Amino acid sequence: MPNAVEPPTESPSRLMAAYELLADGSGPPWRPLAGGTDLMVQMTGEIGEPPERVLDIWGLDELRGIAIDADTLSIGALTTYTELRHSALVADVVPALADAAATIGAAQIQNRGTIGGNVVNASPAGDTLPVLLAVGAEMILGSSSGERVVAAGDFWPSYRTTARRDDELLLRIRIPVVPDRQVRFRKVGTRRAQAISKVVMALAWRARDGDPWTDVRLALGSVAATTVRAPAAEAAMEGRRPDRDMAEAAAAALSDEIVPIDDVRSTADYRRAVAGRVLRRLIRDAGGW
Ligand SMILES: Cc1cc2nc3c(=O)[nH]c(=O)nc-3n(C[C@H](O)[C@H](O)[C@H](O)COP(=O)(O)OP(=O)(O)OC[C@H]3O[C@@H](n4cnc5c(N)ncnc54)[C@H](O)[C@@H]3O)c2cc1C
């Protein structure tokens, strides 16, 4: 039976007040509510675990804003997809993140849904997650006992779980600013909007014009229980130029190493084949052939 009862809700306007509530162990855990585009769907209990207590964090200005210092781009957890799409800093440092934001839902979802919600919701189909994994992002978590940093590679340990403790908020996401880095994003869904991905991919590498690629990082969603890297495909690209041989080797390695599942959105065979094709096309576009 769907649960129609509204859970108790608090809406603190200061971070410290939010931390105090989160630290209160006398009841069930508080579930942070950001844009609500995932959590509201879970409210009735028909999809996912319904929240027993809701902490509305929309009023916490400390979780907003996009800023850059010498070597890090910092994105507040409450940054919406619309804000990501319009940010000059994101366009400069990691335009692939704006590309990912542009594929999420439609305008209503983009105006309300946040990058922090996407990260903590931890869906293996979450569209920003492959970009964050490919660029080596760091998640900054905060609680009444201070802040800590968790690398994207450690943030989603298993299906729909995160490294976040119940008393913590995701405050912001840090992306290293790396010279000569390129990042590309591709999503394959049933439609071009309002589609959950069948395969979603981000590819990052470093190279000056025409030089071999280094520091190659390939991350995929919707092909495993969590967002994953593809080390064999990365190895097939590392130290090479983006020519046909490299593309064939990388695509073959990728199709061999991923183990997707059949589900309502796609078959495993389709996902394996399309992942290889998308990677081949990304490399072809980068190589200009
Ligand atoms: C019609 C529709 C289409 C969609 N299309 C896509 C799509 O194409 N691609 C895609 O990836 N997703 C899609 N989504 C899912 C959703 O919009 C995104 O995951 C969005 O980023 C969630 O952000 P939010 O702010 O709404 O999170 P919320 O729903 O508020 O929260 C999501 C989860 O994260 C937790 N949380 C949120 N912020 C924090 C924080 N700062 N600290 C700690 N915990 C936090 C919440 O407790 C909850 O568990 C779609 C959803 C809908 C309804």
Side-chain angles (χ1 to χ4, degrees), residues 118-119 121-135 139 152-161 185 197 199-202 218-231 258:
N118 206 225
V119 165
N121 192 55
S123 163
D127 285 319
T128 65
L129 279 49
V131 180
L132 298 176
L133 191 54
V135 299
M139 313 303 170
D154 299 323
F155 198 78
W156 305 285
S158 57
Y159 180 65
R160 281 191 173 271
T161 63
F185 170 85
S197 66
V199 172
V200 55
M201 181 183 297
L218 175 63
L220 294 102
S222 292
V223 300
T226 62
T227 307
V228 290
R229 292 204 24 206
I258 55 172

Side-chain angles (χ1 to χ4, degrees), residues 30-42 57-58 63 77-78 81 103-106 109 112-123 125-128 141 164 168-171 187 194-197:
W30 293 92
R31 288 282 294 282
L33 175 80
T37 61
D38 278 314
L39 199 62
M40 292 304 284
V41 180
Q42 296 165 23
I57 59 173
W58 195 252
L63 275 59
L78 287 176
Y81 297 116
T103 72
I104 292 179
I109 296 295
R112 191 72 192 179
T114 65
I115 189 167
N118 206 225
V119 165
V120 179
N121 192 55
S123 163
D127 285 319
T128 65
L141 294 160
R164 171 189 167 260
E168 289 177 316
L169 289 177
L170 177 64
L171 303 180
K187 168 176 172 175
Q194 293 288 27
I196 304 295
S197 66

